[in-house]
Each structure stands twice: as structure tokens, then as C-alpha cells.
Amino acid sequence: MLWIIVILIAVVLIVGPSAWVKFTLKRYATERRDLSGTGGELAMHLVKRFELNDVKVETTQEGQDHFDYGQHVVRLSPSVFNGRSLTAVAVAAHEVGHAIAHEKKQKISHLSSRYLPFAHAARKITAGLLVGWPAISMLLHLPYAVPLHALVVGLSGLLAVIVQLAILPEEWDASFNKALPILREGNYIAQEDLPKVKKILTACAMTYVAAALIKVLFVWRWFKR
């Protein structure tokens, strides 16, 4: 009985953040004609306002909003780029917040450039081990072992969570040191909408941590084999 309770608590802690992030972003995605523009228009306006001369604003796949610091591009989902909602405006401001930090070479922006390449390399190594396991098993005369596969997947997932937690201060900076002051002081949103925007910006900051936590659950698939 105790193990069941522990497992349920673990699942809630892992799935809960992702569910809350998705719920929050969707909740405030309703079109608001009282807003002065779309997320894409706001992003382009802010890029010009803060003189981010090398930064472009483009659309990307739905749910893949990010600032590409290598290409100097703010990439927004179609629903954010074309949307006139609190979610669209907040997400756009959050991503431009990242652009400001990177283009102005602020110290906080070094976190992602320092840790993300390491995370990408670890992910490739993990994928290589999983795909190449039959060959490794044949060469080393090792039997197929579900627990070993589960261990590799689990460690990979935990590593992703650790990396995203290390980068979390940068996400928080983009939301609450950049986006929120910009939206509030620039009167881009009404004062009564600020509590809602704070929730959206919290969801923006937690997006990658929540996604990384969900990947940890993949370890259970290997025990079904």
C-alpha cells in the first residue's frame, strides 16, 4: 500500500507541472480584441524598441516557441505569432526577454549556452546506446536486459531535468526581469490582467522543466517489454 502511495505521489509531482503549464497557457489563449496587437507584432516592436538589430522574428511549429541564440531568431508558434491573447503577448515578451539577455551579453544568458550543448550531447549518446544495443550486446556477448535499458533511459531523463533546473534562473529572468516589467511599464496590458500574465509567465519559465520531468516517465515503457 505504501509503495502505491509513493508511486502516485511521484506521478503527480512529475505530471503535475506539465499539466498546469498546458492548462495555464490554454486558459488565457482566448482572443482579446482590446489588446493593441498580436504576439508577433509585439515581438517585432520590442526587437526594434530595444535595438536588437541582428534579431529576427519568425514562426515555428506549434508549441515550439523559443529564442535561437545561435541564429539570433525569436521563433513563435502560429497561435502566438498571429494570436491576440494574453498568452500570445506574454509568450512573445518572454522570448524577446531571452533575446535581450543574449544580445546584450548579460551574464544570466550564459547558462543556456553553457549547459544546453552538454544536454544535447548526452541525449545523442543515450539514443546511440539504445539504438545500437543489439550490436553492443553481440560484440560483448551480453544478454538483453530490460533493467539496463530502463536505467539508461531513466538516467537520461534525470540528466535532462537537472540541466533544465540549472537553466531555470535564465527562464525566470526572461519572465520576471524582462517580460513582466516591459508589459507592465509599457502599458501593453491592463493592470487588471497582470495577475493572469504572471501565471502565464510562470508557465513559460517552467515549460522546459515540466517537459523534462515527463520524459522521466519513459523509463516505465521498458518494463513492459
Side-chain angles (χ1 to χ4, degrees):
M1 184 65 180
L2 179 61
W3 279 107
I4 295 176
I5 295 174
V6 171
I7 291 173
L8 288 175
I9 292 174
V11 170
V12 169
L13 290 175
I14 291 173
V15 177
S18 179
W20 181 82
V21 165
K22 291 180 180 179
F23 170 78
T24 301
L25 295 178
K26 186 175 181 179
R27 180 181 183 184
Y28 299 112
T30 305
E31 290 291 300
R32 291 273 301 268
R33 290 301 164 188
D34 58 311
L35 297 176
S36 58
T38 65
E41 290 170 342
L42 175 63
M44 288 185 281
H45 163 73
L46 293 177
V47 165
K48 184 177 180 179
R49 174 186 163 185
F50 287 95
E51 300 180 345
L52 307 177
N53 300 322
D54 295 327
V55 174
K56 298 179 181 179
V57 180
E58 301 176 352
T59 57
T60 187
Q61 294 180 351
E62 194 64 42
Q64 299 296 316
D65 305 272
H66 66 283
F67 173 65
D68 186 330
Y69 60 84
Q71 301 276 328
H72 304 277
V73 178
V74 172
R75 294 197 171 97
L76 304 174
S77 303
S79 63
V80 171
F81 189 90
N82 300 311
R84 194 185 294 257
S85 65
L86 290 179
T87 291
V89 168
V91 170
H94 173 86
E95 299 306 340
V96 173
H98 281 303
I100 292 172
H102 277 275
E103 297 303 306
K104 303 296 183 183
K105 301 188 185 305
Q106 296 176 359
K107 189 175 181 179
I108 191 72
S109 69
H110 297 166
L111 291 176
S112 58
S113 56
R114 180 184 304 164
Y115 293 113
L116 282 181
F118 172 72
H120 293 325
R123 190 181 304 123
K124 289 181 180 180
I125 292 172
T126 301
L129 286 173
L130 294 177
V131 173
W133 182 255
I136 295 173
S137 178
M138 185 180 299
L139 288 172
L140 301 179
H141 303 288
L142 294 174
Y144 175 79
V146 171
L148 183 58
H149 257 188
L151 178 63
V152 172
V153 176
L155 289 177
S156 173
L158 288 174
L159 177 61
V161 172
I162 292 171
V163 168
Q164 294 304 331
L165 286 174
I167 298 173
L168 187 58
E170 183 176 341
E171 295 294 330
W172 215 256
D173 174 77
S175 280
F176 295 103
N177 293 338
K178 303 291 192 304
L180 185 60
I182 288 171
L183 294 174
R184 181 179 59 220
E185 296 165 13
N187 295 317
Y188 295 107
I189 56 171
Q191 288 295 315
E192 58 266 26
D193 286 326
L194 279 176
K196 300 174 185 176
V197 168
K198 288 179 180 178
K199 292 180 181 178
I200 299 169
L201 290 174
T202 301
C204 289
M206 293 297 296
T207 297
Y208 293 113
V209 173
L213 283 170
I214 286 293
K215 290 180 181 178
V216 174
L217 287 179
F218 290 172
V219 68
W220 298 108
R221 297 193 307 182
W222 295 98
F223 287 106
K224 295 179 182 179
R225 300 193 172 193

Short mmCIF file of all heavy atoms in Angstrom, two decimals, residues 106 133 163 193 209:
data_model
loop_
_atom_site.label_atom_id
_atom_site.label_comp_id
_atom_site.label_asym_id
_atom_site.label_seq_id
_atom_site.Cartn_x
_atom_site.Cartn_y
_atom_site.Cartn_z
N GLN A 106 24.29 39.64 -21.40
CA GLN A 106 24.15 39.64 -19.94
C GLN A 106 24.60 38.30 -19.38
O GLN A 106 24.44 37.26 -20.00
CB GLN A 106 22.71 39.94 -19.57
CG GLN A 106 22.25 41.33 -19.99
CD GLN A 106 20.79 41.59 -19.69
OE1 GLN A 106 20.08 40.73 -19.18
NE2 GLN A 106 20.33 42.80 -20.02
N TRP A 133 22.17 -1.02 -29.11
CA TRP A 133 22.32 -2.07 -28.11
C TRP A 133 22.43 -3.47 -28.69
O TRP A 133 23.24 -4.27 -28.21
CB TRP A 133 21.19 -2.02 -27.10
CG TRP A 133 21.36 -3.06 -26.02
CD1 TRP A 133 20.68 -4.22 -25.87
CD2 TRP A 133 22.34 -3.05 -24.99
NE1 TRP A 133 21.14 -4.93 -24.80
CE2 TRP A 133 22.18 -4.23 -24.24
CE3 TRP A 133 23.35 -2.16 -24.62
CZ2 TRP A 133 22.98 -4.53 -23.15
CZ3 TRP A 133 24.14 -2.46 -23.54
CH2 TRP A 133 23.95 -3.64 -22.81
N VAL A 163 19.63 19.56 -15.97
CA VAL A 163 20.08 20.62 -16.86
C VAL A 163 19.04 21.75 -16.91
O VAL A 163 19.39 22.94 -16.83
CB VAL A 163 20.33 20.08 -18.28
CG1 VAL A 163 20.51 21.23 -19.29
CG2 VAL A 163 21.56 19.19 -18.29
N ASP A 193 -5.08 42.73 -15.72
CA ASP A 193 -4.61 41.49 -16.35
C ASP A 193 -3.25 41.03 -15.82
O ASP A 193 -2.81 39.92 -16.16
CB ASP A 193 -4.51 41.68 -17.88
CG ASP A 193 -5.87 41.71 -18.55
OD1 ASP A 193 -6.77 40.99 -18.07
OD2 ASP A 193 -6.02 42.43 -19.55
N VAL A 209 11.34 22.56 -17.79
CA VAL A 209 11.45 21.68 -16.62
C VAL A 209 10.31 20.67 -16.63
O VAL A 209 10.51 19.47 -16.40
CB VAL A 209 11.44 22.48 -15.30
CG1 VAL A 209 11.38 21.54 -14.10
CG2 VAL A 209 12.68 23.36 -15.21
#
